[in-house]
Amino acid sequence: MNTSKEVMHKVQLVDGIFTASEASDIVSNLIGEKINFHKLHRLSMSEGNINSDTGYDDSRVVELTAERKEFKELSREARLMGKRIKINGILEIEIID
């Protein structure tokens, strides 16, 4: 399988400096959307076949939940120190074989 490494399109999702509370909301919401995507994907896969392999979606939900918790702690520390948080989130989109 030949996979393209050329980025076809970039989407600047987030770019800025935020208060700790703003950053926490932004990151939590983005991660929450991905968690919901994997939960819905897992549900749709298992609807017709109870034995379908949902391992990838299961592991991503666990990973993303841990990432969200870790970021909440980081933002809490930033808030306590009176610091702001810079976020730069770019999606790189490729067409692959």
Side-chain angles (χ1 to χ4, degrees):
M1 178 167 73
N2 185 18
T3 303
S4 170
K5 295 295 180 191
E6 180 181 348
V7 174
M8 303 302 290
H9 187 72
K10 289 185 180 188
V11 177
Q12 182 77 50
L13 276 184
V14 184
D15 184 22
I17 298 172
F18 304 94
T19 67
S21 294
E22 290 169 335
S24 182
D25 288 346
I26 291 167
V27 172
S28 183
N29 288 333
L30 287 171
I31 292 174
E33 286 297 319
K34 280 300 294 177
I35 289 171
N36 287 339
F37 170 82
H38 287 289
K39 285 181 176 180
L40 288 171
H41 188 253
R42 179 176 60 194
L43 180 64
S44 70
M45 286 178 60
S46 61
E47 269 185 357
N49 180 5
I50 194 75
N51 297 318
S52 63
D53 182 8
T54 60
Y56 177 74
D57 291 302
D58 295 338
S59 67
R60 285 300 291 152
V61 168
V62 170
E63 290 169 9
L64 290 165
T65 301
E67 288 290 338
R68 182 166 52 183
K69 182 178 179 184
E70 187 176 313
F71 185 79
K72 282 187 179 189
E73 179 59 28
L74 179 121
S75 66
R76 186 184 74 76
E77 289 176 19
R79 186 172 46 255
L80 291 173
M81 296 186 310
K83 304 287 185 181
R84 296 183 299 157
I85 298 174
K86 181 176 184 344
I87 302 173
N88 181 22
I90 299 173
L91 289 179
E92 293 183 351
I93 302 165
E94 304 171 9
I95 296 175
I96 60 172
D97 293 18

